[in-house]
Amino acid sequence: MSMYNANDLYTGKKSYDIIGKRKLWFSIAALAVIVSITLVFTVRLNLGIEFTGGSQFTVSNTQNTDQQPASNVMSEHGVTDAARVAQVGETTLRVQTVNNDEFSNVETEEIRNQLADAYDVDGADVTSTFIGPSWGQDILGKAMNGFVVFLVLVGVGLSLYFRSWRNAAGAIIALFHDLIVTLGVYCAFGFEVTPSTVIGLLTILGYSLYDTVVVFDKVRENTADVTEQSSFTFAESTNLAVNQTLIRSINTSMTSLLPVGSILFIGVLLLGAGTLRDLALVMFIGLLLSTISSIYIASPIAVTLAQTNQTIKDHTQKVLTAREERGDGEGGDDDSEILSGAGPNHGVIRRSGVRKSNSAQPKRKKRSKK
């Protein structure tokens, strides 16, 4: 988007009707949440070995990265579910069993030798370990506790900062949207959920909150004295705020997505740095969703809740009535800023108190030369 268009968004000369079409955004968001919840309970999450428990074998310094030999070895030892074989780096394979499969010491040693023979490496290059499910469950429990505390602090903090519980509600609902839809994407594509995934989920919640607060701060500025005039409604003023912060939100998202995307697509897919995959993947998905939710969910929800307030409802009706009486959809003083309407009656409205153009400023007297 060009700088000219960005300036038009800020001044209100050009405006996207985001708040006015909030029912459409709510429908899309609700559908995404319903589909995601359905996937979580039907397809279910692909939980990593840390949550399910099982044995893990690591084959290092191999020139053969074909996964089939490892699967064949594990099948010979009664692994009913397909073993998870993944390439980690250029010369390393990781073989995992799930459902708390634990082998005896003799059987573990036999599997190690067979994997060494299958991949033509020394026996010392094959290591094994057993992971119990209690460790991952403990991590998940602590993460859930942290999430609950985080939501409580966010609700209290935003309510005090913005002096409105409606803004806090909009931000928290947007956080839940990001979390649930991210889990739905993981279910749909079968991505593995690991402790790094949980850490990434908590990280993107903070980013989502930051982006939402930036928008809400501009909303508070634009709606501070909204009921003291009859030219534009609360929803229209909020729509201006969302448009004014739109470029900033996009730029902030791009500067965050580019490095994360580089780690995910270049580091993992091209260079084989598999250890970075889990964290980079969840952050990439979450950052994208949080940007969308801060624009299309948080502020529209805050407006919807605000319009349950009788004062806001009366003021909206007052503006619409005055607009009908004028018959031209305009109002305000000559010293004004053009805004794009976002209410039921779309049209051009005006807001006073903006800086005049340079041509309209008082001319300074030239100083005489000494």
Side-chain angles (χ1 to χ4, degrees):
M1 189 174 293
S2 66
M3 290 300 296
Y4 176 77
N5 290 334
N7 185 66
D8 287 348
L9 288 176
Y10 191 86
T11 60
K13 184 177 181 181
K14 180 178 179 59
S15 182
Y16 297 106
D17 187 16
I18 295 173
I19 301 299
K21 296 180 179 178
R22 55 188 178 276
K23 290 184 179 180
L24 174 61
W25 316 136
F26 291 163
S27 299
I28 296 174
L31 179 62
V33 169
I34 292 173
V35 171
S36 298
I37 293 176
T38 302
L39 290 173
V40 169
F41 284 100
T42 55
V43 179
R44 297 185 180 278
L45 291 168
N46 180 20
L47 297 177
I49 191 175
E50 295 86 357
F51 297 105
T52 61
S55 298
Q56 176 174 291
F57 297 87
T58 304
V59 182
S60 305
N61 301 321
T62 178
Q63 301 302 317
N64 178 17
T65 57
D66 184 14
Q67 300 178 4
Q68 191 58 44
S71 299
N72 294 337
V73 170
M74 302 311 296
S75 297
E76 293 177 8
H77 291 270
V79 178
T80 55
D81 294 333
R84 297 178 179 176
V85 185
Q87 182 178 348
V88 182
E90 296 182 356
T91 61
T92 302
L93 284 176
R94 185 183 63 194
V95 185
Q96 294 180 338
T97 64
V98 295
N99 297 329
N100 204 24
D101 291 325
E102 183 176 9
F103 304 102
S104 64
N105 293 335
V106 175
E107 194 171 14
T108 297
E109 188 63 25
E110 185 178 350
I111 293 174
R112 288 181 56 191
N113 293 332
Q114 289 180 343
L115 288 173
D117 294 338
Y119 288 97
D120 194 22
V121 297
D122 189 81
D125 291 328
V126 182
T127 60
S128 63
T129 183
F130 175 76
I131 301 176
S134 60
W135 184 81
Q137 292 173 0
D138 184 54
I139 293 295
L140 183 60
K142 291 181 179 179
M144 292 302 297
N145 292 336
F147 178 66
V148 172
V149 173
F150 175 78
L151 290 181
V152 172
L153 293 178
V154 166
V156 174
L158 291 183
S159 297
L160 294 176
Y161 181 70
F162 292 111
R163 299 178 182 177
S164 171
W165 63 268
R166 298 173 181 85
N167 288 347
I172 291 176
I173 293 174
L175 291 179
F176 272 106
H177 167 272
D178 298 341
L179 179 64
I180 295 173
V181 176
T182 300
L183 294 178
V185 172
Y186 264 69
C187 288
F189 292 95
F191 298 141
E192 186 179 8
V193 178
T194 66
S196 296
T197 307
V198 177
I199 294 172
L201 282 173
L202 296 177
T203 303
I204 62 175
L205 293 181
Y207 177 87
S208 177
L209 180 64
Y210 163 77
D211 212 22
T212 301
V213 168
V214 170
V215 178
F216 280 171
D217 205 41
K218 194 63 180 177
V219 171
R220 180 180 62 172
E221 177 184 335
N222 286 6
T223 61
D225 302 316
V226 68
T227 58
E228 298 179 7
Q229 49 74 51
S230 59
S231 296
F232 54 93
T233 66
F234 180 89
E236 291 166 345
S237 184
T238 301
N239 192 72
L240 173 65
V242 175
N243 278 270
Q244 287 174 324
T245 55
L246 184 61
I247 299 301
R248 177 175 178 176
S249 297
I250 294 175
N251 289 340
T252 303
S253 301
M254 290 301 298
T255 55
S256 301
L257 285 170
L258 284 175
V260 175
S262 299
I263 295 174
L264 181 61
F265 295 106
I266 298 177
V268 177
L269 298 182
L270 297 182
L271 302 181
T275 54
L276 301 175
R277 178 192 59 194
D278 298 331
L279 186 59
L281 179 61
V282 69
M283 289 192 67
F284 186 85
I285 297 172
L287 287 172
L288 190 60
L289 288 173
S290 63
T291 302
I292 296 173
S293 67
S294 65
I295 298 172
Y296 294 99
I297 297 178
S299 295
I301 286 177
V303 169
T304 301
L305 295 176
Q307 289 187 334
T308 62
N309 183 289
Q310 191 60 44
T311 301
I312 298 297
K313 290 173 64 177
D314 293 342
H315 174 261
T316 300
Q317 188 58 47
K318 173 184 175 182
V319 172
L320 297 180
T321 302
R323 204 171 289 171
E324 289 178 359
E325 292 176 351
R326 288 193 297 266
D328 56 0
E330 297 186 6
D333 302 324
D334 291 335
D335 182 14
S336 61
E337 177 183 25
I338 300 177
L339 308 174
S340 175
N345 297 334
H346 302 291
V348 177
I349 57 178
R350 300 181 183 272
R351 181 168 68 88
S352 60
V354 297
R355 183 179 180 274
K356 295 181 179 180
S357 62
N358 291 334
S359 61
Q361 300 299 318
K363 296 182 179 180
R364 297 180 179 178
K365 295 180 179 181
K366 295 182 179 180
R367 295 181 180 180
S368 57
K369 297 182 180 179
K370 292 182 179 181

